[in-house]
Amino acid sequence: MNSPVTHQAPAARPSASPQPSLPGPAGVRTVQAAFAFSLAALNLRIAVASLSPVLKEVQRDEHLSSFGAGALSTVPVVCFGAFAFLAPRLTRRFGPHHLLWYALLALTGGIVLRSVPGVLALFGGTLIAGAAIAVGNVLMPQLIKHDFAGRAGLMLGCYSLALSGGAALAAGVVVPLESATGWGWRQVLALWAIPSLIAALAWLPELLAPERRSPNRRRQERGKQGGADTAAPVLRALWRDRTAWAVTLYMGLQSLGYYAILSWLPTLLQDHGMSDSQAGWMLSFSSFPGMAASFAAPWLQQRLRPAFVAPLAAALLCATGFVGLLMSPVSGAYLWMTALGLGQGLAIGLALGYIVARSPDAHHTGRLSTMAQGVGYLIACLGPLGLGLLHSASGGWSLPVAVLLAVLVAQTVAAFGASRDRHVLASS
């Protein structure tokens, strides 16, 4: 599949001309690299999605208020935004491939710490896991542009599919694992350190490849991925670029809706009489149509014209799901979760695709990814916390879901600029 970038940006750019990138993996290396990349991506939502089905148990055992439970759900998303801005500096220090490996190890440690008894360990482990995921979030589009430039569309689809698949797996099996094993939520949540450790081991061949081991090649790679001489000016220039802001707002607003639902959907359904296991299953079920939509998003981004049609369809599907949750949350749950899954899956696939498509090379992709995911996830953190506060204030779910519908309107407006076929920092 071809890259979703459909044209070359004008020659005049405020940054230095990028150097040619290292050759991408070929043959067996391509398959191995793509598998390791997808396995790493699979772990970038598991730590968050595994918590929501047992949030009521955590709240009860740790004596958390509704605000405390909302804060716990919000910590990872705040980390996704705040720690994203450290990723460029860390990339220059370690190189993107080594940095991803360190992030996977930190994620493993954070998941284990989160399961240690005590509120401090619960929040501390969640913070470490969130910081590790933040770095991975920024690195992934950059690695796609750098290592899989000729297959960017396919790898974007695999990346989005892995994100949705990890969320579906975690949300769907946590409660059944509790029932099957007789363990508590701490032990079951600790199990999710295993796939992140496996992902770190699978990524090792990328570190041992000849071009990664050579000190000179590693220095060259760090420079090409965003050297100290150009990283800061490019990032500063993006703050004044309309296309960059459109991509950032689209990323942030669609993430706000996604994490709000990820954190509170099981509780919403439980409050309407659905069992804990069935509510967790509904969250997991919504990820299956979401996986299909996110995988198809790069193809739709390339072929649907006008380009605004795809994000508009995503918004309409999400609106259908939200309205259904207001009118008949339990009896029509499968229908609403199908619509919501399709809409949110398509939206995240498009958001990630815009980061790659609106940047001319891996260097600019890294900077745009930093801005879009740093600012975007700081916007998104308002979702879990805000929904919890609105639910506590109103005593129901009508007001919180109505606010999510209003956010969809702003998301659709941002899509006008994000879907426009041009590169960031290009001459008008």
Side-chain angles (χ1 to χ4, degrees):
M1 185 180 290
N2 294 327
S3 166
V5 179
T6 56
H7 67 89
Q8 297 294 321
R13 298 188 192 105
S15 63
S17 299
Q19 302 176 17
S21 45
L22 297 173
V28 175
R29 277 290 310 281
T30 299
V31 176
Q32 187 278 325
F35 172 76
F37 176 90
S38 299
L39 193 57
L42 188 76
N43 285 275
L44 296 184
R45 294 297 178 270
I46 282 178
V48 181
S50 59
L51 178 63
S52 57
V54 294
L55 186 59
K56 276 196 167 183
E57 296 177 52
V58 176
Q59 185 176 356
R60 181 192 65 229
D61 292 350
E62 296 294 348
H63 308 290
L64 299 177
S65 64
S66 294
F67 177 82
L72 181 63
S73 300
T74 305
V75 165
V77 190
V78 173
C79 291
F80 293 174
F83 286 94
F85 294 104
L86 292 179
R89 178 173 295 183
L90 294 173
T91 301
R92 293 194 299 272
R93 174 66 179 85
F94 300 107
H97 298 85
H98 284 74
L99 180 57
L100 180 59
W101 187 67
Y102 297 142
L104 289 169
L105 293 179
L107 176 59
T108 303
I111 292 173
V112 171
L113 178 60
R114 181 178 66 174
S115 301
V116 174
V119 173
L120 185 62
L122 176 66
F123 277 87
T126 302
L127 188 148
I128 293 172
I133 294 171
V135 173
N137 285 339
V138 173
L139 288 175
M140 289 308 205
Q142 189 175 1
L143 288 170
I144 288 174
K145 193 81 169 185
H146 183 265
D147 289 358
F148 305 97
R151 306 174 184 86
L154 175 61
M155 292 309 299
L156 274 169
C158 291
Y159 176 33
S160 301
L161 182 65
L163 290 178
S164 301
L169 177 66
V173 306
V174 166
V175 174
L177 272 175
E178 279 188 303
S179 301
T181 61
W183 293 346
W185 60 267
R186 298 184 198 279
Q187 293 84 359
V188 172
L189 291 185
L191 287 176
W192 298 109
I194 296 174
S196 60
L197 182 59
I198 292 173
L201 295 175
W203 192 249
L204 273 176
E206 289 301 297
L207 308 189
L208 300 176
E211 65 268 24
R212 313 281 182 242
R213 289 183 308 196
S214 166
N216 289 335
R217 293 292 262 175
R218 287 180 65 185
R219 281 194 293 269
Q220 291 172 13
E221 183 182 0
R222 289 197 292 267
K224 291 167 187 176
Q225 294 284 354
D229 57 333
T230 58
V234 169
L235 190 55
R236 284 197 298 268
L238 288 175
W239 295 106
R240 300 186 296 272
D241 186 87
R242 291 184 179 180
T243 300
W245 271 109
V247 171
T248 297
L249 290 174
Y250 188 78
M251 168 61 79
L253 293 170
Q254 66 82 26
S255 296
L256 187 156
Y258 173 79
Y259 284 103
I261 290 297
L262 186 67
S263 299
W264 289 107
L265 177 70
T267 304
L268 183 155
L269 294 175
Q270 289 162 12
D271 287 350
H272 283 87
M274 190 176 284
S275 68
D276 291 2
S277 59
Q278 184 68 9
W281 160 246
M282 294 313 304
L283 179 61
S284 180
F285 171 80
S286 70
S287 297
F288 293 110
M291 284 189 282
S294 60
F295 187 76
W299 184 87
L300 295 172
Q301 180 185 334
Q302 285 181 295
R303 287 165 177 78
L304 285 184
R305 291 295 178 269
F308 181 71
V309 169
L312 178 61
L316 291 174
L317 285 165
C318 289
T320 300
F322 290 150
V323 171
L325 288 175
L326 281 175
M327 297 177 59
S328 181
V330 175
S331 61
Y334 277 100
L335 178 59
W336 314 138
M337 291 304 98
T338 299
L340 195 56
L342 288 171
Q344 292 188 327
L346 180 55
I348 184 58
L350 291 172
L352 295 170
Y354 292 148
I355 292 174
V356 176
R358 300 297 163 251
S359 50
D361 50 52
H363 170 63
H364 287 77
T365 302
R367 306 289 78 74
L368 181 57
S369 183
T370 298
M371 176 180 174
Q373 302 203 59
V375 176
Y377 282 121
L378 289 177
I379 294 172
C381 73
L382 299 175
L385 184 60
L387 234 68
L389 291 174
L390 289 172
H391 173 57
S392 296
S394 65
W397 290 102
S398 296
L399 178 60
V401 175
V403 170
L404 290 179
L405 283 167
V407 170
L408 275 180
V409 176
Q411 175 184 316
T412 305
V413 172
F416 275 106
S419 61
R420 185 182 174 192
D421 192 10
R422 71 189 301 270
H423 285 153
V424 295
L425 305 183
S427 300
S428 302

